[in-house]
Amino acid sequence: MLDEKVNIDINEFLKTLNFKTNIIYFIKWGILSVIIGVVVGFAGASFGHAISFATDFWQSHRYTLYLLPIFGLIISALYHFIHADNPRGTNWVIDSISSGETIPLKMAPTIYISSFLTHLGAGSAGREGAALQIGGSLGNFIGRKLKLGQTSFSDKADINIAIMCGMASCFSALFGTPISASIFSMEIFSVGVMYHAALIPCLLSSYIAVYVAKLMNTPVEKFIIQRAPDWNFRLVGFMILLAALTAIVAILFSVAMHESANIYKKVFKNPYIRIVVAAVLFIILTILSGSRDYNGGGFWLIERSMSGNVRYEAFLMKILFTAVAMGGGFKGGEIVPTFVIGATFGGAFAKFFGLPYELCTACGMIACFVGVTNCPIASIFMGLEFCGSLGINYYAIVVGVSFVLSGYYGLYSSQKFAYSKTEARYVGSDAVSIRKKRQNS
């Protein structure tokens, strides 16, 4: 009886201890998340306004395209100034979680200015890659200033949560998608593993950032499906085919991005020459195409795809333009081009088979997103927040199919594969060999 009473007392004590720990965690991250959400939300909102201004400016002043070589030299000089002649971009943020490497604060203004110049010169790039780097850098800075991991009230891993909060906040401030931004920031580091301890902090900081962005009237793009067809097996079959083909497109885009960067670095050792060559090639491509459709982010191509006004080769052209610009050293994000590539491919697919344009455009966009990021849960929520809930049943299907068939490819070489995509087993120890096979195949 005495032993039983002792065991009961110990269990009650542990329950009380866990409850107290949870309360401390909740209060601590409630305060920290608000701080990160406000600071990073403001930075993300101002960045969104800057990119919007740059886009509007080059569209009304077409000559900025020919200033791209000068902008490129400035970008290279900026990175040389911060001693990052071979910058790792978003991979740097991903590496910081696994290795504990510090993300310098100077990374935030550098990528901010560089992305602005890329967009001002009509370079084919997005904004979210810069957002992840800005947010990760600011989250890391705030965490270290508040001495996370250095006091009795915080764990060493808390700095990682602060980085994730920063990433989620800046992403959601730009896109107005707090749930998918939060899950993406938890899911991107290691495929098959989510950092659940960051769930409440990321969600809270993301919603705060979205609120800040709204107060600043930050422009947000959404492509909501107005009508979705009733569930039927014929359409399900077409969505499976679309997802399978989009997985191939995602692989093509990932390979093009990696190989273009490798070729540039192999042929042109000097980063200044490399980025000028990229600028000249980009200008030539634009002139030869006879269109500015593939310059800048390209959200207008998604709008055209949803209305059925899409060219069959548009997705290939966007891949080419983005690889030429970003492979040579111009800065920005890869996710907006990913959305455009997936959307235009989905629109072309709908046009070829006589299917609903809106649904195929949205599904192509989401299938391409999961194919290059390997983040299936975030991709489903991205579909909900970015395109509305009417196509949720089809989103889930295309995400599942594209996630599996895209294999171990992806945009981020630092991303780890903790679990196999096709077998119920842990592959953490084999992650390096899997990545090498992926890159060499």
Side-chain angles (χ1 to χ4, degrees):
M1 290 292 294
L2 182 61
D3 290 342
E4 184 178 346
K5 185 176 185 303
V6 169
N7 286 334
I8 291 173
D9 290 341
I10 291 173
N11 288 333
E12 290 300 320
F13 171 75
L14 290 175
K15 288 179 181 178
T16 303
L17 182 63
N18 287 336
F19 182 73
K20 288 181 179 178
T21 302
N22 293 344
I23 290 295
I24 291 172
Y25 160 88
F26 191 82
I27 295 173
K28 177 183 72 177
W29 280 108
I31 296 170
L32 293 175
S33 297
V34 171
I35 295 172
I36 294 173
V38 170
V39 174
V40 179
F42 177 80
S46 66
F47 180 64
H49 279 290
I51 298 302
S52 180
F53 169 81
T55 300
D56 291 341
F57 192 85
W58 77 253
Q59 287 180 333
S60 58
H61 301 79
R62 296 302 182 96
Y63 63 83
T64 61
L65 172 68
Y66 303 102
L67 299 178
L68 203 56
I70 297 173
F71 295 156
L73 290 173
I74 296 172
I75 291 170
S76 290
L78 282 172
Y79 276 91
H80 179 73
F81 179 75
I82 67 167
H83 307 291
D85 289 314
N86 292 300
R88 287 174 285 158
T90 304
N91 284 314
W92 198 346
V93 181
I94 295 174
D95 284 334
S96 71
I97 296 295
S98 57
S99 66
E101 183 180 2
T102 300
I103 308 172
L105 180 62
K106 57 190 176 184
M107 179 179 179
T110 303
I111 188 64
Y112 189 115
I113 296 170
S114 299
S115 297
F116 173 76
L117 291 174
T118 298
H119 282 80
L120 188 62
S124 180
R127 59 186 72 176
E128 76 307 314
L132 295 176
Q133 295 170 55
I134 292 169
S137 177
L138 289 175
N140 179 81
F141 175 76
I142 294 170
R144 294 191 183 279
K145 281 295 180 182
L146 296 175
K147 299 189 182 303
L148 292 185
Q150 302 175 37
T151 67
S152 59
F153 291 101
S154 66
D155 185 82
K156 287 184 178 180
D158 279 352
I159 197 68
N160 291 344
I161 297 179
I163 292 172
M164 293 181 203
C165 285
M167 295 170 65
S169 298
C170 209
F171 194 109
S172 58
L174 286 174
F175 287 98
T177 55
I179 300 176
S180 50
S182 300
I183 295 176
F184 178 76
S185 298
M186 295 160 53
E187 204 176 10
I188 185 65
F189 300 99
S190 187
V191 178
V193 174
M194 284 181 63
Y195 293 83
H196 292 96
L199 180 59
I200 291 177
C202 283
L203 281 172
L204 183 54
S205 60
S206 291
Y207 275 104
I208 293 291
V210 168
Y211 180 73
V212 170
K214 284 183 178 179
L215 288 178
M216 295 177 64
N217 296 315
T218 306
V220 174
E221 299 284 349
K222 293 290 180 69
F223 301 93
I224 305 299
I225 295 178
Q226 301 300 323
R227 296 180 303 277
D230 294 332
W231 179 267
N232 66 81
F233 287 107
R234 174 181 175 274
L235 193 53
V236 169
F238 274 117
M239 290 303 102
I240 291 173
L241 177 60
L242 172 60
L245 294 176
T246 307
I248 298 173
V249 173
I251 292 172
L252 176 62
F253 181 46
S254 297
V255 171
M257 291 296 288
H258 291 300
E259 289 304 312
S260 63
N262 292 335
I263 292 171
Y264 273 120
K265 289 177 182 178
K266 185 176 180 180
V267 178
F268 306 103
K269 305 294 184 183
N270 187 302
Y272 294 97
I273 296 175
R274 187 188 310 149
I275 203 165
V276 169
V277 170
V280 172
L281 288 175
F282 189 84
I283 293 170
I284 293 172
L285 276 176
T286 302
I287 294 172
L288 291 177
S289 70
S291 169
R292 293 295 185 93
D293 286 349
Y294 311 109
N295 293 168
F299 274 135
W300 46 88
L301 290 173
I302 299 178
E303 294 174 355
R304 293 182 196 173
S305 295
M306 285 193 140
S307 62
N309 183 23
V310 60
R311 298 177 66 90
Y312 286 111
E313 74 279 7
F315 74 97
L316 289 173
M317 296 294 287
K318 192 60 178 176
I319 290 175
L320 176 61
F321 274 68
T322 307
V324 167
M326 297 192 66
F330 285 96
K331 304 302 174 185
E334 306 90 350
I335 300 304
V336 169
T338 296
F339 285 154
V340 174
I341 291 163
T344 51
F345 182 78
F349 183 88
K351 188 175 181 179
F352 186 82
F353 287 104
L355 300 172
Y357 287 110
E358 285 190 345
L359 180 64
C360 289
T361 297
C363 286
M365 189 161 38
I366 298 161
C368 199
F369 178 75
V370 74
V372 301
T373 63
N374 297 296
C375 296
I377 309 303
S379 299
I380 294 174
F381 277 102
M382 181 62 76
L384 286 169
E385 292 186 302
F386 210 54
C387 302
S389 61
L390 292 181
I392 177 60
N393 294 322
Y394 297 106
Y395 302 160
I397 290 173
V398 297
V399 164
V401 173
S402 182
F403 175 70
V404 172
L405 296 183
S406 60
Y408 296 100
Y409 290 86
L411 287 174
Y412 309 115
S413 58
S414 293
Q415 189 179 47
K416 291 179 172 54
F417 292 89
Y419 285 87
S420 169
K421 283 190 176 185
T422 56
E423 300 175 20
R425 68 183 182 91
Y426 179 74
V427 295
S429 59
D430 302 324
V432 175
S433 61
I434 287 175
R435 192 180 300 112
K436 286 181 178 178
K437 286 180 180 178
R438 178 191 66 188
Q439 291 173 343
N440 294 331
S441 60

